[in-house]
Amino acid sequence: MLTRHPDRDLKMTAWLTILTSMFALIMDWWPNGAPPFGITAPGATVRATDSPPARTVRIPPP
């Protein structure tokens, strides 16, 4: 369909659909360097902050 279809408009629509999809996948992956679709590497962990919050508010007991 992408190369030999006689309808020029249909061919162009198919190519634009594929290119747009590829662009969306690349843009989904590229900004933060993470794999697309939220896939993480096996054994990857989320790191918690090591320092306490900057300000702690203590409420006296009633």
Side-chain angles (χ1 to χ4, degrees), residues 26-53:
I26 290 170
M27 287 291 106
D28 188 36
W29 173 78
W30 178 70
N32 59 5
F37 309 115
I39 301 170
T40 57
T45 58
V46 177
R47 189 173 66 192
T49 58
D50 295 333
S51 61

